[in-house]
Amino acid sequence: MKNILNAIFLCFLALSSIAQSKKQKNDALLSDLDTLFNRILKDQVAAGFSVAVVKGDEVIYSKGFGYRDVENKKPVTPNTLFAIGSSSKAFTGSLLGLLRRDGKLTFEDKAVSLLPQLHFFNEEMNSQIILRDLMAHRTGLSRYDFSWLLFNTANRDSIIARVKYMKPSAAVREKWFYNNFMYLAQGMIVERLTGKSWEQNIKEKFFIPLEMNRSNTDIKVFKQDSDAALPYTVVKGNEIKKVDYYNINGMGPAGSINSSANDMANWLKVWVSGGFFKKKEILPTDYVREAASSQMVMSADLPAAHDDIFLANYGLGWMIGSYRGHYLVEHGGNINGFSANVAFFPSDQLGIVVLSNQNGSQVPAVVRNSIVDRLLNLKAIDWNGEAIAKTRAGMQVNKGVKSAPVLNTKPSHPLQDYVGSFENPAYGIIKITFEKNDLYTMLSDEKVVLKHMHYDVFDPKSIDKNGVVDTAQSNLMFNFSSGIDGKIQGVGIFLDGSDKPVMFDFKPEAKILSLKELQKYTGEYVLGQATVKIYIKGNTLMVFVPGQPEYETIASEADTFSLKALKGFSVKFNIDAEKQVNSVSFIQPNGAFKAVKKK
């Protein structure tokens, strides 16, 4: 018995010695990281960031740098909450992996069958697009991000309804296009099949079993947390400026998770282990392997600045690459004032998460790569120096991209004539108001002033809490256009990298008229050889031209009605001296045509 106990004791000592040796080796490899990360913090003009490194089933490094609140000098810790943005997509895709395991769906099911509210631009897309296409961004739809960024709503049905009006940029599976709406659709499929919200599913399937006790999906809970990071951006190249939080609730499944480095380390343990956390299955191993494998080529990504970094493919909620001879699976996340990167190396059982409170930041990638080079014994690359050079080059390029105003020009109309609502069904409604001699509108949750640039072009400018207008030129010029009647009929805005402006058509404010008021417009009107009939159906004034369908109208201005189904078409009733209708003018893009009322 004594010999057996001695053997067990010696075994324990040996294992402890091995574990201690591994720890010492990792500590040695990471020994200079604190100094490097503080330098990155300064060089990248970052407010703060937190890091966690997973090796196998252990967290071998976990720290915070800089400030979560710059003004009050509150430091970042490994438990500080950050918005992780699109790094949330792997969570949403994983919910579908669980539903597939349970036999509730397959990834080859038609998307529109799984979600009846979802409709694509044409029937060909409706019949071809399957769930896997949504997960791998291969529907042929480009980003359309401004649709939800500028026209946000908590109503997911309202947002997903816009997909029907989004014109594809390529055929299904022909080209990779990142599209957040497709991850919203996945979240809605989860809601439909489980009877629970996406938020409830994320909490029950992942946050609770993974002990991610700091994590949430609610912007209000996030903001009220005692250890939450504030969002920041960099202006003038070297000034850290606080920005507003963005409430992504409607598009939540595409990117509304808020988490800490320590919590995200538990999520990474699942992927490094092939689906397990503390020996309990969280995700099916076959799903983990599939999600972390190439499903679509993102781009022809050949070696460039570094000959051992290449490949750009997409899995299911993850991006796939080759990093210096090692298989890399990662996904970034960017939302107003925050940037993140969550990555793992399956063959090396290594996982890294970097969360920062800096808008569009290079910090997550710089920090991640610096860690990987050390832990995998690779020749160190000065990623921080490369990022500095890239920023400087970008600043030089951006100096010449602004348009110069044409001097001594003025709007074609009084400013009050630009007031009204303008609609694009793939985006939403822009409502323009007139206050204190200026035009205003709401973009997302921000009120902006439209400052005249030249002719009918206006520049939307931010206003700070003190009422000071931003002097920098924006990238969203509003270009108004007029109809043949001289009235403002629409506004064009370059959105989502489009080569043509996205048109928002004037949307007449519907006026409610009584049946008695409508009655005076009814009758028969002679237009050339045809007789046009105008009558009431229900509570609506209808127009019928022989050989055409009947048209429903919307009362807009005095004695004027827009044809609901035809853009740019309206009818204006002409009133004589005795206040009786004697004729009607049909106003359309190719002219105005008068029809006399039969007596």
Side-chain angles (χ1 to χ4, degrees):
M1 178 65 72
K2 184 178 178 181
N3 289 335
I4 293 173
L5 289 174
N6 284 337
I8 292 173
F9 181 65
L10 288 171
C11 246
F12 175 75
L13 283 177
L15 290 171
S16 297
S17 177
I18 292 170
Q20 185 65 25
S21 176
K22 285 183 177 179
K23 183 179 185 304
Q24 290 173 349
K25 183 179 179 182
N26 288 330
D27 288 347
L29 290 170
L30 301 173
S31 61
D32 67 336
L33 281 185
D34 289 12
T35 301
L36 173 62
F37 290 168
N38 280 309
R39 187 164 69 248
I40 290 172
L41 189 76
K42 180 182 178 181
D43 291 347
Q44 301 300 325
V45 198
F49 63 88
S50 64
V51 190
V53 181
V54 171
K55 184 68 174 174
D57 59 357
E58 294 181 22
V59 176
I60 62 171
Y61 185 91
S62 177
K63 284 193 178 182
F65 297 85
Y67 299 110
R68 61 182 177 85
D69 180 341
V70 173
E71 183 180 2
N72 296 301
K73 294 191 173 358
K74 294 181 179 179
V76 170
T77 74
N79 291 316
T80 299
L81 285 181
F82 294 80
I84 72 168
S86 287
S87 298
S88 305
K89 286 182 170 63
F91 287 84
T92 298
S94 295
L95 290 176
L96 295 170
L98 294 177
L99 288 174
R100 185 178 68 172
R101 178 198 64 188
D102 297 338
K104 300 290 182 65
L105 53 73
T106 75
F107 293 171
E108 281 62 52
D109 289 339
K110 285 185 181 179
V112 294
S113 298
L114 292 170
L115 186 64
Q117 304 99 304
L118 177 64
H119 300 282
F120 292 97
F121 190 72
N122 53 47
E123 283 306 313
E124 184 179 7
M125 295 176 74
N126 287 335
S127 64
Q128 287 186 2
I129 293 174
I130 60 176
L131 180 54
R132 190 183 298 274
D133 296 324
L134 307 189
M135 301 174 78
H137 294 302
R138 57 189 203 188
T139 61
L141 288 175
S142 57
R143 295 189 71 128
Y144 282 91
D145 273 345
F146 278 111
S147 177
W148 61 272
L149 278 168
L150 299 183
F151 306 94
N152 191 24
T153 170
N155 188 322
R156 288 176 180 164
D157 284 334
S158 172
I159 298 178
I160 208 69
R162 299 173 191 173
V163 173
K164 180 180 179 180
Y165 303 97
M166 296 178 181
K167 295 181 180 179
S169 298
V172 177
R173 301 178 207 110
E174 180 182 62
K175 192 173 180 181
W176 185 86
F177 287 108
Y178 195 85
N179 187 291
N180 282 291
F181 286 85
M182 300 304 101
Y183 270 79
L184 167 61
Q186 291 170 62
M188 294 177 69
I189 289 169
V190 169
E191 292 178 334
R192 178 171 178 263
L193 295 183
T194 64
K196 297 179 180 180
S197 69
W198 172 82
E199 290 80 359
Q200 286 174 292
N201 275 282
I202 291 293
K203 183 176 182 179
E204 293 175 8
K205 301 299 184 183
F206 303 128
F207 289 171
I208 293 175
L210 292 177
E211 301 172 13
M212 297 176 69
N213 302 319
R214 300 277 299 130
S215 303
N216 65 71
T217 55
D218 189 326
I219 189 72
K220 292 179 181 177
V221 175
F222 177 28
K223 290 165 68 173
Q224 292 169 1
D225 193 274
S226 61
D227 189 8
L230 298 177
Y232 294 95
T233 190
V234 178
V235 296
K236 300 177 182 178
N238 59 2
E239 182 182 328
I240 297 174
K241 179 184 177 183
K242 184 178 174 294
V243 297
D244 293 330
Y245 286 102
Y246 183 85
N247 189 352
I248 192 180
N249 55 357
M251 288 290 285
S256 71
I257 290 177
N258 310 301
S259 191
S260 67
N262 279 343
D263 272 14
M264 290 300 291
N266 290 349
W267 173 241
L268 279 170
K269 287 177 183 179
V270 174
W271 291 89
V272 168
S273 68
F276 296 86
F277 178 72
K278 293 186 175 180
K279 298 182 180 180
K280 179 183 177 182
E281 183 183 278
I282 302 297
L283 290 173
T285 300
D286 63 341
Y287 175 75
V288 171
R289 292 180 61 83
E290 191 173 359
S293 299
S294 298
Q295 304 289 326
M296 185 67 177
V297 174
M298 292 168 57
S299 64
D301 197 22
L302 296 172
H306 302 284
D307 59 10
D308 52 1
I309 297 177
F310 51 88
L311 191 69
N313 290 353
Y314 203 85
L316 304 176
W318 291 103
M319 295 179 180
I320 317 299
S322 179
Y323 181 86
R324 312 190 70 188
H326 296 262
Y327 192 96
L328 167 64
V329 183
E330 57 91 18
H331 209 294
N334 288 282
I335 195 70
N336 300 31
F338 295 95
S339 300
N341 190 269
V342 183
F344 66 100
F345 295 76
S347 301
D348 304 288
Q349 290 195 301
L350 175 65
I352 302 169
V353 56
V354 186
L355 308 175
S356 71
N357 55 338
Q358 184 184 52
N359 195 64
S361 180
Q362 296 186 77
V363 166
V366 170
V367 171
R368 181 200 70 196
N369 291 353
S370 299
I371 293 171
V372 176
D373 287 353
R374 282 159 177 76
L375 286 178
L376 298 184
N377 294 308
L378 302 171
K379 184 179 179 181
I381 292 174
D382 181 13
W383 294 110
N384 183 41
E386 289 194 5
I388 293 170
K390 184 177 178 182
T391 299
R392 288 173 180 166
M395 291 172 67
Q396 291 299 318
V397 170
N398 290 332
K399 281 183 179 179
V401 299
K402 303 303 181 185
S403 300
V406 180
L407 302 178
N408 303 316
T409 62
K410 62 181 181 179
S412 62
H413 292 65
L415 290 184
Q416 292 92 329
D417 287 3
Y418 299 87
V419 170
S421 296
F422 300 81
E423 182 179 30
N424 181 294
Y427 286 84
I429 296 174
I430 295 172
K431 189 169 185 178
I432 295 175
T433 58
F434 180 72
E435 306 168 38
K436 300 177 182 178
N437 298 317
D438 273 313
L439 297 174
Y440 291 85
T441 190
M442 294 292 295
L443 295 178
S444 188
D445 295 326
E446 181 184 5
K447 187 175 183 178
V448 299
V449 60
L450 300 181
K451 288 296 186 180
H452 181 250
M453 185 175 180
H454 48 229
Y455 301 111
D456 280 338
V457 177
F458 292 77
D459 187 0
K461 295 183 178 292
S462 299
I463 311 166
D464 70 14
K465 61 183 179 181
N466 298 315
V468 178
V469 177
D470 189 354
T471 57
Q473 189 179 121
S474 76
N475 296 317
L476 296 175
M477 297 298 171
F478 282 44
N479 188 8
F480 290 89
S481 58
S482 304
I484 59 167
D485 58 359
K487 295 179 181 178
I488 298 298
Q489 69 171 14
V491 58
I493 311 173
F494 284 94
L495 299 173
D496 295 315
S498 57
D499 55 359
K500 293 182 180 179
V502 175
M503 291 304 303
F504 290 76
D505 298 321
F506 179 71
K507 181 180 172 65
E509 296 290 340
K511 296 183 178 181
I512 307 300
L513 300 180
S514 67
L515 290 176
K516 183 178 179 181
E517 290 174 305
L518 291 175
Q519 193 65 46
K520 70 178 183 180
Y521 302 114
T522 62
E524 294 184 340
Y525 295 78
V526 179
L527 181 64
Q529 302 297 314
T531 298
V532 178
K533 295 181 179 180
I534 297 179
Y535 52 94
I536 297 172
K537 179 187 283 189
N539 296 311
T540 304
L541 193 70
M542 308 294 293
V543 175
F544 177 72
V545 179
Q548 298 184 35
E550 60 178 2
Y551 295 109
E552 182 180 342
T553 71
I554 301 172
S556 52
E557 302 175 47
D559 303 314
T560 302
F561 295 76
S562 298
L563 300 189
K564 189 175 180 180
L566 295 177
K567 171 185 170 183
F569 289 73
S570 61
V571 292
K572 179 175 176 57
F573 293 92
N574 305 305
I575 312 298
D576 61 20
E578 298 176 357
K579 297 185 178 180
Q580 299 295 313
V581 176
N582 59 21
S583 62
V584 61
S585 296
F586 293 86
I587 301 169
Q588 53 197 59
N590 62 333
F593 304 89
K594 187 175 181 179
V596 179
K597 186 176 184 180
K598 283 187 177 180
K599 295 183 179 180

